Every structure is written in C-alpha cells, then in structure tokens.
Amino acid sequence: TYNAAISAAGNGKQLQQALDLLILLERTVVLPDVITYNAAINACEKCDFWEVALHLLLSVRKADLRPNVITYNAAIAALENGKQWQLALELFKEMLDVDVIPDATTCHVAISACETGKRWQEALG
C-alpha cells in the first residue's frame, strides 16, 4: 500500500521518495488518509525537515481530516529535532485545545523540546 511504502521510505530516510509517493497518491482517485499523512510527517521527522512536517500537518487539515495523536507526535518530534521548541509547545497546546489526548510519546517529545530549548520551567508546567 501507499502507506507502507511511505513509511518504508521514511524509515530509510528517503524523504523525497516519501513525498513523491504522497504526491502521486494525491493525483489518483484514492485520497490520502490521516495514516498516509502520518507516515509522511514521520519521514520528515526522521530526515530533519520540520518545515515540511508543518506543511503536511496543514495539508491534513485542508483535506478535512482530523489529526490524531500520532500526527501530533510526529510533528512535535520533527520540531524538537529541528530545535523549534516554541513551535513544538504550541502544537502540544493546540493538541489539547482540539481534544486530542496526549500519550506517553507526546509527553516525552514535549519534554525533550523543552530540554532542547533549555526551558525546563515549561517542562514542569
């Protein structure tokens, strides 16, 4: 499936391949679902492309899909890897505002983002 292929490309740090597959899928009759976008955002996280991860998160919303905890975890992790701790915390807060329940991974990545930004106070609050 496209989802598996995008995940495999991401795991192999082949971001361009993952994005090309996503674009190809968008041009077919089959529309990408939130799982497809999650795989692409995860590929961005693995390849240190936080800007693309944010763009894909926007694409999820534009496609009238509902981002889930996996979507947010991947995007927050991409931001944390890109040393964008402020944006990572904004996404964490947004996640709470839209009633997506954080899991242990979310908390770990949000705390790591605070650590990256040397903002331990935010990690406690």
Side-chain angles (χ1 to χ4, degrees):
T1 68
Y2 278 96
N3 295 346
I6 291 170
S7 288
N11 288 335
K13 296 189 177 186
Q14 300 297 314
L15 178 60
Q16 191 58 54
Q17 257 186 319
L19 296 177
D20 288 345
L21 286 167
L22 178 62
I23 290 167
L24 182 64
L25 180 60
E26 289 173 336
R27 292 182 182 160
T28 67
V29 178
V30 179
L31 294 175
D33 59 14
V34 73
I35 297 168
T36 311
Y37 282 106
N38 289 351
I41 293 169
N42 191 50
C44 293
E45 182 262 325
K46 289 182 182 344
C47 297
D48 295 325
F49 280 87
W50 65 269
E51 299 97 335
V52 179
L54 278 184
H55 175 75
L56 290 172
L57 179 60
L58 250 132
S59 296
V60 171
R61 295 181 191 130
K62 286 181 183 175
D64 279 335
L65 298 171
R66 189 173 191 272
N68 59 27
V69 67
I70 297 167
T71 315
Y72 280 101
N73 287 351
I76 292 169
L79 291 167
E80 189 270 327
N81 286 349
K83 303 195 182 346
Q84 301 299 313
W85 65 272
Q86 291 166 311
L87 289 173
L89 292 183
E90 283 180 36
L91 266 190
F92 180 76
K93 290 174 188 170
E94 174 188 306
M95 183 180 181
L96 298 174
D97 290 343
V98 297
D99 296 324
V100 175
I101 299 169
D103 62 10
T105 300
T106 315
C107 295
H108 171 77
V109 177
I111 290 168
S112 292
C114 292
E115 179 184 14
T116 298
K118 299 187 185 338
R119 306 298 292 197
W120 60 268
Q121 298 92 339
E122 281 85 350
L124 297 176

